Amino acid sequence: MKQKTNTRFLPKGLTILHEDRDILVVDKPAGLLTIATESEKAKTAYAALMDYVKKGSERSKNRIFIVHRLDRETSGILVFAKTETAKQTLQESWEKTKKIYLAVSHGVWKERSGTIQSYLVESKAHRVYSSDEPELGKLSKTKFKILKETNLYSLLEIELLTGRKNQIRVHLSDKKHPIVGDTKYGNDTRSYPRMALHSFSLQLTHPFSKEVLSFETKIPSFITGLVGGYERNTNET
């Protein structure tokens, strides 16, 4: 049963899309970490939402659990569990969860659609790269489709067939079409206000009711603005 959101405790910058006894689904803004790092402990979606579920009471036993993560500069749909059991159930079926992203890349693509596949490896310096050798990394698949393009940029719909760290960013960079604003895997500097990657829609099976839940967010104006505007067709999936 969906719960009502108490706006008094709603974390700033986060929009709650769905909340029930078992899960919490939010729309995360760009610039906010999912969970703490060595350099940033407090200003994270996890910390803000932990405060939210505790409703200001340190004695509260309410908690949230990480199901998956979005990079700091990626906006959009982020799912948390409210029990350990819900977390495990969601993670076990995560590969079956349909995850659609929108991204703007540099350049015009030769292919209109396709699937990028490689084995992703993370270096000791925490940089992810592709390999053709199965024993080195994890098999990763990224399905893409061109939605609109200009002379400079291409708007892509991306279905994440596997969920590896930095997967979309690495795969688009491998194709020589890095994401606009990606300073780690592209050649961009900080001249863009953010990275043009957004977790647009997600369809999951509820961990207990087994109901199929679908969520969709508004496309950030920064992303649509790069390609001169974009209106999504309801037939697009």
Side-chain angles (χ1 to χ4, degrees), residues 3-4 11 13 19 40 66 74 88 93 110 131 237:
Q3 296 181 357
K4 291 183 178 179
E19 181 181 8
E40 178 56 72
I66 299 286
T74 302
Q88 291 174 351
S93 63
K110 292 180 180 178
S131 171
T237 57

Side-chain angles (χ1 to χ4, degrees), residues 102-139:
L102 295 177
V104 178
S105 74
H106 285 283
V108 176
W109 292 61
K110 292 180 180 178
E111 313 101 313
R112 308 309 300 169
S113 63
T115 300
I116 307 167
Q117 178 174 314
S118 70
Y119 295 91
L120 291 183
V121 189
E122 185 172 3
S123 71
K124 292 181 180 179
H126 305 297
R127 186 178 178 89
V128 180
Y129 62 93
S130 285
S131 171
D132 294 325
E133 300 180 43
E135 64 275 11
L136 289 181
K138 296 178 179 179
L139 179 63

Side-chain angles (χ1 to χ4, degrees), residues 33 46 68 74 110 131 154 167 176 221:
L33 283 165
Y46 175 80
H68 68 126
T74 302
K110 292 180 180 178
S131 171
S154 297
Q167 177 179 320
K176 309 302 181 187
S221 57

Side-chain angles (χ1 to χ4, degrees), residues 138-168:
K138 296 178 179 179
L139 179 63
S140 306
K141 297 180 181 180
T142 304
K143 187 177 178 181
F144 71 92
K145 178 172 67 175
I146 306 299
L147 299 178
K148 186 177 180 181
E149 59 192 10
T150 67
N151 292 334
L152 296 175
Y153 306 122
S154 297
L155 175 65
L156 293 84
E157 177 186 282
I158 294 166
E159 183 175 356
L160 205 55
L161 301 179
T162 56
R164 314 299 184 203
K165 179 180 177 181
N166 295 165
Q167 177 179 320
I168 298 173

